[in-house]
Amino acid sequence: MESFESDDGHVIARLDRGDMALESIERACETHDIDTGAVVTGIGTFSNLHVHYVDRTDLPDDQADRNVALELEGAWEVTDITGVIADGEPHLHVTAFDGERTVGGHLEEGCEVNVLGEVTIRKLSGLPLERRPGEGNVSQLTRR
């Protein structure tokens, strides 16, 4: 992974074959001192896709009871990665296609870049945010 920063606060990360997507984005946040930001674009290909999604509306207290984790092998064309970075921690969602189905969800660790990845992060200043547990133990953005 290599990352580049513009004069106006944009960071572009190039993810190379074998890089881990989320882990590389986290490293770019550290390298460029991104406390609060937005991932505004993300494209690429993965050789596996690790996501989770919420599959119910009653929201039990234990998050493990409300999330479905998918660990899918094969070539995935990533059409979008977006989300918010608060207190240096990315919360990102991904949409990807394997030639037969489209899958979306919360981007998890372990998604290996197959051919390439390109992610644009917009660094935001003057807006210190963090996530705190809210109603139903749902992580909510709040001002620090």
Side-chain angles (χ1 to χ4, degrees):
M1 187 275 296
E2 189 170 358
S3 55
F4 316 91
E5 186 169 352
S6 70
D7 292 339
D8 66 352
H10 286 83
V11 172
I12 296 180
R14 185 195 73 225
L15 285 59
D16 300 316
R17 184 175 177 89
D19 287 341
M20 296 297 165
L22 180 58
E23 295 88 326
S24 294
I25 294 167
E26 290 170 337
R27 194 166 74 233
C29 289
E30 286 179 25
T31 299
H32 297 278
D33 197 29
I34 300 172
D35 181 68
T36 303
V39 173
V40 295
T41 65
I43 56 101
T45 60
F46 293 166
S47 58
N48 59 342
L49 182 64
H50 295 182
V51 298
H52 83 260
Y53 65 94
V54 176
D55 73 336
R56 46 195 307 168
T57 59
D58 59 336
L59 295 182
D61 288 335
D62 187 353
Q63 289 192 6
D65 291 338
R66 64 176 113 161
N67 293 329
V68 173
L70 299 176
E71 294 187 7
L72 306 168
E73 299 302 317
W76 291 88
E77 184 71 22
V78 176
T79 60
D80 193 30
I81 301 172
T82 57
V84 173
I85 299 159
D87 200 16
E89 295 294 323
H91 178 147
L92 306 177
H93 286 235
V94 61
T95 306
F97 178 69
D98 74 350
E100 295 180 16
R101 62 186 167 167
T102 301
V103 175
H106 181 96
L107 181 66
E108 294 289 347
E109 292 182 347
C111 294
E112 184 175 348
V113 174
N114 184 23
V115 177
L116 66 83
E118 297 172 347
V119 177
T120 304
I121 304 168
R122 175 68 173 125
K123 190 186 299 190
L124 302 171
S125 59
L127 184 61
L129 297 176
E130 67 182 355
R131 289 186 182 81
R132 293 186 188 155
E135 184 178 339
N137 199 26
V138 174
S139 180
Q140 296 179 333
L141 282 173
T142 186
R143 190 178 282 271
R144 247 191 346 252

